[in-house]
């Protein structure tokens, strides 16, 4: 799977919450199906998100790389996939 393409498809056709604050809200509401965290997400925040039992995929790149992969002109430390749209991104839950 091309994760960059899957991310862009999920963002354009599905429902994705970008950033730690929005991700925390989605996790608290129980609506997040998958979390994607950059490799540079601080350990303390990653531990907090892991406690939620929501599947987490660690993106193999920095927060700037994740932002670029999402087609955004800013860094992204973590995002929550609520609905994948036309993307097969939820297949990352098993990785």
């Amino acid at each position: 799977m091309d994760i960059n393409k899957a991310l862009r498809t999920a963002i354009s056709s599905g429902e994705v919450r970008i950033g730690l604050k929005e991700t925390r809200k989605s996790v608290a509401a129980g609506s997040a199906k998958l979390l994607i965290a950059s490799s540079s997400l601080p350990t303390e925040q990653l531990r907090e998100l892991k406690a939620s039992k929501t599947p987490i995929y660690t993106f193999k790149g920095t927060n700037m790389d994740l932002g670029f992969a999402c087609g955004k002109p800013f860094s992204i430390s973590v995002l929550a996939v609520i609905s994948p749209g036309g993307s097969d991104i939820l297949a990352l839950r098993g990785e």
Side-chain angles (χ1 to χ4, degrees):
M1 168 194 319
D2 180 1
I3 188 160
N4 294 357
K5 183 177 179 185
L7 279 167
R8 288 183 183 178
T9 302
I11 289 170
S12 65
S13 67
E15 188 176 349
V16 176
R17 299 287 184 255
I18 295 174
L20 185 59
K21 184 177 178 181
E22 292 298 314
T23 296
R24 283 177 173 154
K25 286 181 190 178
S26 299
V27 167
S31 59
K33 294 187 173 111
L34 173 67
L35 305 180
I36 299 179
S38 74
S39 62
S40 56
L41 181 69
T43 306
E44 179 181 312
Q45 294 169 346
L46 182 60
R47 196 175 313 128
E48 170 195 339
L49 294 173
K50 281 185 176 180
S52 73
K53 304 295 184 205
T54 304
I56 298 176
Y57 175 80
T58 302
F59 183 79
K60 293 168 181 52
T62 66
N63 52 357
M64 289 299 293
D65 296 330
L66 183 54
F68 180 76
C70 292
K72 302 296 181 184
F74 50 84
S75 64
I76 297 174
S77 60
V78 65
L79 59 87
V81 177
I82 310 301
S83 169
S87 169
D88 60 347
I89 199 156
L90 293 183
L92 295 174
R93 288 190 288 194
E95 293 184 25

